[in-house]
Structure formats: structure tokens, C-alpha cells
Amino acid sequence: MKPTVKPKGTAHLKPPGEIRIIGGQYRRTKLSVPNRPGLRPTPDRVRETLFNWLGQDLSGWRCADVFAGTGVLGFEAASRGAAEVLLCEQDPALVLQLKSVQARLKADSVRVERGDGLSLLRRLPAGSMQLVFLDPPFDSIQFEAALKAAAQAIAPKGLVYLEAPRAWLDEELAPLGLQVHRSGKAGAVHFHLLTKVDALQVQDVPQDGLTA
């Protein structure tokens, strides 16, 4: 009998069981990762790279994690001082888990909402967010619509973090109002930090999180 061979590049599809917040005041806090369809928490080394790009200190920032899952990206932002973090998730079991973690951490800056991430993005006031995390399931058909809505939701010097199964290029992002500032790849995960088209450099993002 031949041994079972796992398809190449699918290791990221199996959740790790639990992950930890890697920086800030909630550092080392464990978050459970249940086996739910499409749930794929951002790997530690990707989060480390992302928050190095962001400068670690998010004091005063307004953030939205609209496909929250475990909420690890949003909790990482709150851990680093973000003034407001909105976590949106459809799965009722994951929503309960998010609320449980928020209560355990006494994270007053975090608000959990059950609902569709794209719908929530479209409801956000234009220019109201400093940072939007987009990490939908890899088989989602909402990437383009979510990117367009995120571009409207962020401030003129705001940022969008995108995680996807492929690299997104400036030519396809430009019609949506965004451009690549930085990008990387870890295994099957392509991750990007995006700014508005013709936005100022990320170093000029106001650290108090106020809309420019």
C-alpha cells in the first residue's frame, strides 16, 4: 500500500491548534484555533514582519480586522496601543471566542461585531480608519470588493494589510485606489502592506491616528 502523500503547498490549510500574541502588553497570550472552514491564522513570522513594518507602536490608531477569525491581527494591534480595534466575524462560535478573549484581556479598545466583513467595510465612514486588516479565506471571491471598500475606509495616509494566496500587483490595485508599499511571501501566504495611490510614505503616517 502506497503511503499517503499530502498535496504540496497545503500545510497552511490546517490550523495549528493555538497561537500566541507575539508583541505588546498582551504578549504570550494564547488564542485557540479551532478547526473551522477557511480559518487560517496569520503565521508568527508574518505578523512579526508586519508589525516591524508598522513600527510596533500603534498608539492612537483606529483599526479594523474585518475577517477576524481568531482575531490575532486585531489583538496584536490592541496589544501595541491601538485606540480602537473593531473585530468582525460571521462564525458565531468564533464570535463567542473573540468576546471571551476580549473579556479575559480586559481589552477596552476592542469591539467585537458579528456580521459580514465586506458589509461592515462598506458601512465604515470614509477616511475613518488608520489600518484595515484584510485576511479572508483563500477561496473567497471578495478580495477585489474588500480592497475597494478598504481603500475608502482608510484615511489619506492610512494602510491596508492584505493576505492572499497570490501576489497582488500595482496594475490591478490602482483601479481600486491602492498601491503596494511593501510585500512578502511565507510558504503559500502572500502578504502586502498597501497605501492609497500617491499617498505619502508610511513614515509620514500620523502616529496619533488622526485622519489627515
Side-chain angles (χ1 to χ4, degrees):
M1 184 176 179
K2 293 183 178 180
T4 301
V5 178
K6 293 183 180 180
K8 184 178 180 181
T10 60
H12 68 287
L13 299 178
K14 183 179 179 182
E18 69 177 26
I19 52 176
R20 294 173 184 260
I21 296 173
I22 60 173
Q25 63 176 320
Y26 307 136
R27 186 179 179 184
R28 298 189 180 91
T29 298
K30 295 180 181 179
L31 305 180
S32 176
V33 184
N35 192 2
R36 312 293 287 184
L39 184 62
R40 177 191 39 76
T42 303
D44 286 6
R45 62 175 174 152
V46 174
R47 277 181 281 130
E48 183 177 5
T49 298
L50 168 62
F51 285 96
N52 283 337
W53 288 348
L54 294 172
Q56 298 295 337
D57 183 6
L58 272 58
S59 296
W61 289 34
R62 296 185 296 271
C63 308
D65 186 356
V66 296
F67 300 96
T70 64
V72 68
L73 288 172
F75 285 120
E76 292 276 11
S79 185
R80 291 165 168 82
E84 299 176 21
V85 179
L86 176 58
L87 303 179
C88 183
E89 173 56 47
Q90 274 193 314
D91 187 314
L94 292 175
V95 170
L96 288 175
Q97 178 175 303
L98 291 170
K99 290 181 176 180
S100 174
V101 174
Q102 187 272 341
R104 173 160 54 99
L105 295 175
K106 299 180 181 178
D108 294 335
S109 64
V110 175
R111 180 163 62 91
V112 179
E113 181 173 325
R114 182 183 175 188
D116 174 67
L118 179 56
S119 296
L120 178 131
L121 266 180
R122 288 170 169 165
R123 295 199 313 269
L124 291 174
S128 62
M129 291 288 128
Q130 196 65 36
L131 174 62
V132 171
F133 297 104
L134 293 182
D135 182 17
F138 273 5
D139 60 357
S140 174
I141 60 172
Q142 295 185 320
F143 277 94
E144 186 171 317
L147 284 164
K148 184 176 181 180
Q152 296 298 313
I154 60 172
K157 301 178 208 175
L159 302 163
V160 176
Y161 171 71
L162 170 66
E163 219 169 278
R166 65 173 180 85
W168 281 70
L169 305 177
D170 282 339
E171 303 89 88
E172 55 190 330
L173 289 167
L176 308 176
L178 296 167
Q179 60 190 359
V180 177
H181 177 67
R182 293 189 176 178
S183 63
K185 183 177 184 292
V189 177
H190 292 261
F191 53 101
H192 318 66
L193 192 60
L194 312 175
T195 62
K196 286 197 171 187
V197 173
D198 297 327
L200 297 178
Q201 294 297 315
V202 70
Q203 289 86 350
D204 293 327
V205 173
Q207 293 302 301
D208 61 2
L210 298 176
T211 302

